[in-house]
Amino acid sequence: MILETQNLTKTYQFGSSTITVIKNVNLEIENGTFVSIVGPSGSGKTTLLNLIGLLSHPTSGKIFFKGEDTSQLSERERRKFRLSNIGFVFQTFNLIPTLTAQENVELPMAFARVKPDTQRERAKDLLQLVGLTHRTCHRPKQLSAGEMQRVAIVRALANDPSLIIADEPTGELDTQTGLNIINLLLNLCKTQGKTIVIATHDEKIKKIADVVYESYARSFVRTTVQNR
Amino acid sequence: MRITRMCLRNLLRRRVRTLLTIFAIGLAAMFIIAVGATTSRYITVIKEMNLFFTGDVIVVARGVFVVQAFPIGGTIQEDVVDTLAAIEEVQTATPILFIPNPSKTQGTLELMPGNITIGLPTKDISVLVGPTPLRPNGSWPSVNSSQAVIGAALADKYNLTVGSTITLREHDITVTGVLETRSAILLHTIILPLKLAQKIYGYNMLINMIVVKPKTGISCETLADRIESEVDGIKTLTETERTEFLQPILDEAELWNTGLRTALFLISLILITNISIINTFERRRDFATLYAIGASKLTVTRIVITETTLLGFFGGIIGTILGAISSILIVSYYTSIPAIMIFPDLLTIVPPRLIAEILSASVLIGALAGIVPAVTIGRAKLEEILRYEY
């Protein structure tokens, strides 16, 4: 088990009113699985991903990562944990616009204090993995949407994390490009053993996922388990 | 290194804003340098005035306004010199007619404000100029002649040499020498025989200051007391009194200089802070992404502060260059020396200490200006930025 949540709840306070976004979410995610979090807009998918990605704190409940209770971690420890264990892929790619593709991929390694030479080599290897060798020196605005998302995916892989969290990674892409991205993520899951947690309302992704959690009454319940 | 490169690219990405900010900081730094250089120039002149007649007692008319040793207006009967010379403690008494800013001067020489005419007995010129030499072929004016020695700044400005004629109040005067000096006062001075100066400026048998040198072993204070007890209608100024008079002027100049400098620093600080807040606000999603992929708060703070520091640094560089140029032009204007000739003395006019001070202050201001935006972005809620700001 790479990730487990226990009664995860997140509420927001808006003035005098309290809004519960997710309530008592219990996830059990096995290592090397492709997990799809499905639900309509506003169902709390992104909130859930932010919580399991340690980007925000739950109001109540616990998150265990490889058996370790992350609620005990300080902010600094959470950052370090995130840096080495979790990779993020965003819907809008979120590449740093002033850096080239290669530099964007090098960035998480720089934060992890990897040697510059190693950073460069690994970034090139990763970009080669997604067929972007010819784009290493291009900045995001010089790349297509699909290319940007591929750069974002390899950036997420830079520090070789075991968990990749992708928040609607195909949301900004056309159907074919979206499919390519999904195949890329699926391939990473199957060939490199990465655990992929992907938030989507794309039915195609739902069909290929090993495990599907669907929103239900402010929570997410496991609805599908496919054995490949 | 990566951070610096990233910051430079971020700044270049908003070229116009960055350039305008750097230019504005540069202007502020330029004013600081120019004001500093000008103020130090004035202070130098004032201090230099105090260097004249060291160890002597200056006698001026009572009630007259005196800038250091030099009276602005006022008259003393010339025969007072004889009275003073007769005092036992007096070694010499030199009459001087000091005319600052001669106005409505007609003729070939159009004097700019700041020029001075001094008339004194030709035998006593050394009392004023000390060992200052003349340019080659020059000579001191003869007794009762229509001759003058002029400062190098005047000579250079009006292209005057030995033998040239200048006209002061319709009196033609022959230049017999050019003072080769670095004294800001003597550079602009026309030295005439006393009688000629009295004639030109209508001071018949009148002077406005007397330089009294005490005999060896006699203190200036004792001599000053003796003079004031013997002669009516005059005021004596010892070196100590002149220095005491100088200090408030210097203090005030320094106060204004410091005040202006502080104000300009604050303006620069506010400007960079403001620009940086806008820059970081626009890039909140980038910063949130950096946090999400593992950047520490320190890294993000470094990025913000590096950017503002770079703005301050480049502003400081530009300000130093503009400030040096403007200082040369200001000094050139006040001394009438062509700017190109002043250039070798650049480091005297704009001392390295002032340059270092401006650059350090610019960098410091830049660094300080990054604090508020860095703290603001550090407090932002990651998940909200990543979620809502596309």
Side-chain angles (χ1 to χ4, degrees):
Chain A
M1 186 85 67
I2 186 170
L3 186 81
E4 184 184 357
T5 67
Q6 289 178 354
N7 299 321
L8 208 55
T9 300
K10 180 73 177 178
T11 60
Y12 288 102
Q13 198 73 35
F14 289 103
S16 57
S17 59
T18 303
I19 295 173
T20 303
V21 184
I22 55 172
K23 192 176 178 183
N24 296 329
V25 177
N26 294 297
L27 304 181
E28 285 183 354
I29 297 174
E30 296 293 336
N31 205 7
T33 52
F34 192 102
V35 180
S36 177
I37 310 284
V38 182
S41 293
S43 60
K45 298 189 297 294
T46 302
T47 301
L48 180 61
L49 293 193
N50 285 339
L51 288 171
I52 62 175
L54 306 187
L55 290 177
S56 63
H57 294 268
T59 308
S60 65
K62 288 187 173 181
I63 302 165
F64 293 91
F65 201 98
K66 292 178 182 170
E68 187 183 352
D69 183 0
T70 58
S71 61
Q72 304 300 317
L73 300 176
S74 67
E75 205 53 54
R76 190 161 166 267
E77 288 167 332
R78 286 164 69 89
R79 179 188 73 79
K80 285 193 168 179
F81 195 89
R82 216 161 49 222
L83 188 59
S84 51
N85 292 294
I86 305 171
F88 288 93
V89 179
F90 303 96
Q91 181 179 349
T92 48
F93 328 126
N94 288 21
L95 297 177
I96 304 301
T98 48
L99 299 182
T100 63
Q102 185 178 322
E103 287 166 339
N104 265 288
V105 178
E106 288 173 14
L107 211 49
M109 292 185 269
F111 295 149
R113 299 184 186 281
V114 173
K115 286 181 183 171
D117 289 346
T118 314
Q119 286 177 36
R120 272 190 292 275
E121 286 307 310
R122 181 156 170 76
K124 281 179 184 172
D125 290 346
L126 287 168
L127 286 166
Q128 191 179 18
L129 182 76
V130 294
L132 289 176
T133 312
H134 62 298
R135 295 293 207 181
T136 52
C137 296
H138 288 76
R139 296 202 188 162
K141 69 177 178 185
Q142 297 166 319
L143 303 174
S144 68
E147 287 172 329
M148 278 195 273
Q149 196 57 298
R150 277 189 278 165
V151 174
I153 288 169
V154 292
R155 181 180 67 182
L157 292 171
N159 286 327
D160 198 21
S162 43
L163 175 65
I164 305 285
I165 293 175
D167 189 0
E168 304 204 24
T170 58
E172 297 280 310
L173 306 174
D174 60 65
T175 311
Q176 185 55 49
T177 311
L179 198 60
N180 293 342
I181 291 297
I182 293 306
N183 285 334
L184 175 61
L185 289 170
L186 193 60
N187 194 39
L188 289 172
C189 179
K190 300 308 165 200
T191 60
Q192 296 191 19
K194 304 289 180 196
T195 306
I196 312 283
V197 178
I198 187 166
T200 186
H201 35 229
D202 187 334
E203 285 297 321
K204 287 191 288 295
I205 298 176
K206 190 176 163 184
K207 283 176 189 166
I208 60 170
D210 298 322
V211 179
V212 176
Y213 281 91
E214 285 193 71
S215 72
Y216 176 77
R218 302 205 181 285
S219 187
F220 287 88
V221 291
R222 185 185 284 225
T223 57
T224 315
V225 180
Q226 296 179 24
N227 294 313
R228 285 178 220 277
Chain B
M1 188 58 204
R2 185 197 302 276
I3 284 183
T4 311
R5 196 166 61 219
M6 189 157 78
C7 293
L8 279 170
R9 287 184 195 165
N10 284 332
L11 292 176
L12 282 173
R13 196 171 161 215
R14 292 157 180 83
R15 251 179 229 104
V16 175
R17 190 187 300 169
T18 300
L19 288 177
L20 283 176
T21 309
I22 289 174
F23 186 63
I25 298 161
L27 277 182
M30 182 196 86
F31 277 115
I32 292 169
I33 291 178
V35 168
T38 311
T39 310
S40 67
R41 187 79 195 159
Y42 274 117
I43 290 173
T44 304
V45 170
I46 291 169
K47 280 182 178 170
E48 189 192 315
M49 289 172 99
N50 202 40
L51 294 178
F52 282 92
F53 319 122
T54 308
D56 297 340
V57 175
I58 304 300
V59 177
V60 294
R62 181 167 290 167
V64 75
F65 180 72
V66 181
V67 180
Q68 296 314 299
F70 298 98
I72 309 301
T75 53
I76 305 171
Q77 291 291 331
E78 198 177 340
D79 57 13
V80 171
V81 178
D82 297 331
T83 308
L84 295 178
I87 295 173
E88 195 183 342
E89 291 90 342
V90 171
Q91 186 175 323
T92 57
T94 307
I96 291 178
L97 182 58
F98 176 79
I99 311 287
N101 300 329
S103 56
K104 295 178 183 173
T105 307
Q106 304 293 319
T108 54
L109 183 62
E110 187 184 319
L111 292 175
M112 59 175 279
N115 291 343
I116 296 160
T117 303
I118 296 176
L120 76 172
T122 48
K123 66 180 174 57
D124 294 328
I125 284 178
S126 63
V127 171
L128 177 71
V129 303
T132 305
L134 295 175
R135 282 183 179 172
N137 304 323
S139 62
W140 300 101
S142 310
V143 181
N144 298 328
S145 65
S146 290
Q147 295 173 340
V149 164
I150 62 172
L154 290 177
D156 292 338
K157 183 175 183 187
Y158 298 102
N159 203 21
L160 300 170
T161 56
V162 173
S164 299
T165 299
I166 58 174
T167 304
L168 288 175
R169 293 196 170 186
E170 297 175 351
H171 289 78
D172 288 340
I173 297 157
T174 305
V175 175
T176 61
V178 175
L179 282 167
E180 192 67 86
T181 177
R182 297 187 71 81
S183 157
I185 296 170
L186 293 180
L187 273 170
H188 293 90
T189 300
I190 302 169
I191 300 173
L192 304 168
L194 180 60
K195 294 293 175 198
L196 177 61
Q198 287 172 323
K199 188 177 167 189
I200 292 172
Y201 294 104
Y203 282 69
N204 188 29
M205 297 301 286
L206 295 171
I207 50 174
N208 56 12
M209 62 184 287
I210 303 166
V211 179
V212 181
K213 188 177 283 299
K215 280 183 177 168
T216 310
I218 305 295
S219 77
C220 286
E221 285 70 23
T222 307
L223 180 58
D225 290 343
R226 178 76 195 274
I227 291 170
E228 287 198 349
S229 66
E230 298 253 334
V231 185
D232 291 331
I234 54 98
K235 176 170 75 175
T236 59
L237 291 167
T238 63
E239 197 178 336
T240 310
E241 287 168 331
R242 287 171 354 230
T243 306
E244 283 170 1
F245 183 74
L246 170 76
Q247 205 51 50
I249 295 174
L250 297 182
D251 289 346
E252 194 166 336
E254 198 52 51
L255 185 69
W256 275 101
N257 194 12
T258 308
L260 191 63
R261 205 179 283 200
T262 308
L264 289 169
F265 279 153
L266 282 175
I267 290 169
S268 303
L269 180 65
I270 292 166
L271 180 72
I272 308 180
T273 305
N274 194 28
I275 291 297
S276 181
I277 286 172
I278 295 169
N279 282 349
T280 48
F281 188 81
E282 279 181 357
R283 285 158 44 215
R284 275 157 53 102
R285 199 173 58 133
D286 289 353
F287 288 120
T289 304
L290 291 177
Y291 280 130
I293 64 173
S296 62
K297 284 197 174 178
L298 181 66
T299 304
V300 171
T301 303
R302 272 176 64 200
I303 292 171
V304 175
I305 289 182
T306 303
E307 279 183 27
T308 54
T309 305
L310 285 171
L311 283 174
F313 176 72
F314 289 126
I317 296 267
I318 289 184
T320 305
I321 294 167
L322 292 177
I325 293 169
S326 56
S327 297
I328 286 177
L329 294 176
I330 289 169
V331 172
S332 172
Y333 176 78
Y334 280 113
T335 60
S336 308
I337 299 172
I340 193 79
M341 290 176 68
I342 297 172
F343 190 74
D345 290 332
L346 178 63
L347 292 180
T348 310
I349 298 160
V350 187
R353 192 183 150 190
L354 182 61
I355 295 173
E357 197 181 308
I358 293 298
L359 281 177
S360 315
S362 305
V363 168
L364 180 68
I365 282 172
L368 288 175
I371 291 173
V372 173
V375 169
T376 308
I377 199 70
R379 284 181 178 171
K381 287 190 175 173
L382 266 185
E383 70 272 25
E384 287 178 23
I385 299 170
L386 288 170
R387 186 168 184 177
Y388 298 114
E389 297 187 9
Y390 297 118

